[in-house]
């Protein structure tokens, strides 16, 4: 199990609401819990439904997709340590303890695709 990012909303999200909200943003459901989107003709898992949306990103592309998914749901993307991930002026940012760190340009992260991080 990797590092989890959670899509957090003020009002709880029902599964039926999830299905309706994600489609316009280019996401879909596979099976009873996988949230997927396409890249280069393939379908890739972005997150899972576990009474809330949970992602375990393995690439910058997945982080960017989770930021997009959170926005589509009117929610925030929050990490295990309480940090949040946001999109501001086309830049994905990590906000923690009053500090802001730029992770990367959203469009470049999306274009890079779901290639896994390497050690």
């Amino acid at each position: 199990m990797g590092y989890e990012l959670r899509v957090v909303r003020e009002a709880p999200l029902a599964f039926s609401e999830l299905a309706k909200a994600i489609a316009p943003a280019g996401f879909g459901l596979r099976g009873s819990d996988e949230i997927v989107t396409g890249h280069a003709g393939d379908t890739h898992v972005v997150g899972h439904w576990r009474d809330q949306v949970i992602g375990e990103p393995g690439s910058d592309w997945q982080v960017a997709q989770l930021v997009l998914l959170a926005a589509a749901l009117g929610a925030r993307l929050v990490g295990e340590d309480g940090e949040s991930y946001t999109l501001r002026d086309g830049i994905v940012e990590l906000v923690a303890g009053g500090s802001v760190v730029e992770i990367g340009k959203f469009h470049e992260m999306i274009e890079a695709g779901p290639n896994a991080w390497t050690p």
Side-chain angles (χ1 to χ4, degrees):
M1 180 184 223
Y3 191 79
E4 287 187 348
L5 299 179
R6 297 173 316 282
V7 175
V8 177
R9 282 179 28 134
E10 295 299 320
L13 183 68
F15 184 77
S16 59
E17 291 175 289
L18 172 75
K20 289 178 190 173
I22 65 174
F27 297 95
L29 294 170
R30 182 168 61 194
S32 63
D33 75 332
E34 290 185 329
I35 300 166
V36 298
T37 194
H39 179 78
D42 289 326
T43 301
H44 301 274
V45 175
V46 173
H48 292 86
W49 174 254
R50 296 182 186 136
D51 294 325
Q52 66 179 4
V53 177
I54 303 286
E56 293 180 26
S59 68
D60 287 346
W61 178 85
Q62 285 177 306
V63 172
Q65 292 291 352
L66 286 165
V67 167
L68 182 61
L69 180 59
L73 296 172
R76 297 177 305 119
L77 184 61
V78 179
E80 291 177 14
D81 297 325
E83 76 280 12
S84 62
Y85 297 78
T86 62
L87 179 63
R88 188 171 59 92
D89 298 328
I91 304 292
V92 176
E93 298 177 331
L94 170 80
V95 181
S99 298
V100 177
V101 176
E102 291 184 359
I103 295 176
K105 293 180 180 177
F106 179 81
H107 77 276
E108 290 177 356
M109 294 169 74
I110 294 295
E111 289 172 5
N115 298 325
W117 291 314
T118 55

